[in-house]
Amino acid sequence: MLRFAPSPTGDMHIGNLRAAIFNYIMARKLKQKFIIRIEDTDIERNIEGKDKEILALLQTFGLAFDSVIYQSDNFPLHRDLALKLIKEKKAFYCYCSKEFLEEQREHAKARKIAFRYKDEWAELEKGTKTTSPIIRLYANQAVSFIDSIKGKIAFQANEIDSFVIMRNDIPTYNFACSIDDKEMSYIIRGEDHISNTPKQILIKHALGFGDNVHYAHLPIILNEEHKKMSKRDQASSVQWLLAQGLEAKAIANYLILLGNTKLEQQIGELFSLESCIEYFCLEKIASNPAQFDYKKMAQISRDILRQKKPNTFYSLFTHLEAQRMESPQNFDALITLCLGEVGTQKALKEHIDSIFLSITQKRELLSSFHDEFDTIVALLRKHSDKLATWDYATCKDFIVAQSGLKGKALFKPLRMILSGQEHGIELDKLYCVIQPYMDYLLRS
């Protein structure tokens, strides 16, 4: 069994999504269950509805899960096991106040040594400041494990002091995870969790859990400034990327290939989740930080977009249903033509919507040559019965002959009339596909 364990305390970022995708792929590769565990133990920071938003995003990316578990439902089990460790003298009550521990940290800082908790402090303040003790697990022992991506990782005994597993009757992150991960075959997550892993291994050992779990810690993703991506980076937000109109499949493909050049050589950039399962291998992922490249992600999105049939995009243009039905073949050709210019569905919609703007709106968008715009519109309206039989060259030559316009004075207003934009598609190609709609465009 594999799990993706998001916290409902904030938006999903690409590091979360990458971990979710890799857990899904490995679950399918190993023919095991893929579950979602909502880690809602941080009660004060949980955001209402964020869990449902996360689940909806996973469905958007085609990550079908077998079940959803809320970690808080396991609180009774966590408490029982903490008491079991107390009885077995593998854990102990600690009565140290926050003030006492902060004082000890300051002493360590003054001596320029690492702060380490000492077990003999546990009952120094018993019956004084602290009303409810915390529970700590006895540690102080070396831990090592094999990471599928980073190889052997070892921690010395003096690097891990006795740490907290229960506070105010609520399990800590590491304690809850260790218990809830008991049945997992793989734990795939970001490398910021590496420091948690030795503590979780010690907890599992204390509880008598098996050692058959495999770990894989995904390297961090760097932003354009070669720093770790954070919430301040817009592109780190999955919702933001989708809002830009990027294809979900493109985002997923890019994250799968990030730091995985060998896989890209095998299957290229355009593939389905299911088709990459056979070739996917955690051990082939680079252990170094991966550089995020928005342009490459956008290019993959553009290539995926252009593979789709025009009818895939009809839902974007329900407000233009009458125009589409007037000439379905030309509307399909218009979609195909615009797909050559854009990289997202959002941009495709904007392109085609611009074409069907009213003449008044188009005139307002034009930065100059308004008189020339009016002249051309008047000419086209007067001879609209001929537009369906003229090709672009004939139409342009007619305007030149009747108005004497040329250069920018001709092409800037004409482009705006036909496309609703000052730059873009070649006019001869555009004119061919919008001919059936010219009456509508000039009338509006």
Side-chain angles (χ1 to χ4, degrees), residues 163 330 407 409 442:
F163 55 90
N330 282 71
L442 293 169

Side-chain angles (χ1 to χ4, degrees), residues 133-146:
I134 60 176
I135 300 177
R136 290 179 181 268
L137 184 81
Y138 283 111
N140 301 305
Q141 55 183 293
V143 178
S144 65
F145 62 95
I146 302 299

Side-chain angles (χ1 to χ4, degrees), residues 18 22 25-26 29-30 148-149 186 188 216 218 256 258-264 266-267 276-287:
R18 189 183 185 207
F22 285 7
I25 291 174
M26 284 301 295
K29 189 177 184 73
L30 299 173
S148 295
I149 296 173
Y186 261 94
I188 305 171
L218 304 172
I256 291 169
L258 192 60
N260 204 346
T261 54
K262 291 183 179 178
L263 180 63
E264 184 171 355
Q266 288 178 299
I267 62 175
C276 81
I277 291 173
E278 177 186 351
Y279 303 96
F280 185 81
C281 179
L282 285 168
E283 288 76 9
K284 292 182 180 179
I285 297 173
S287 60

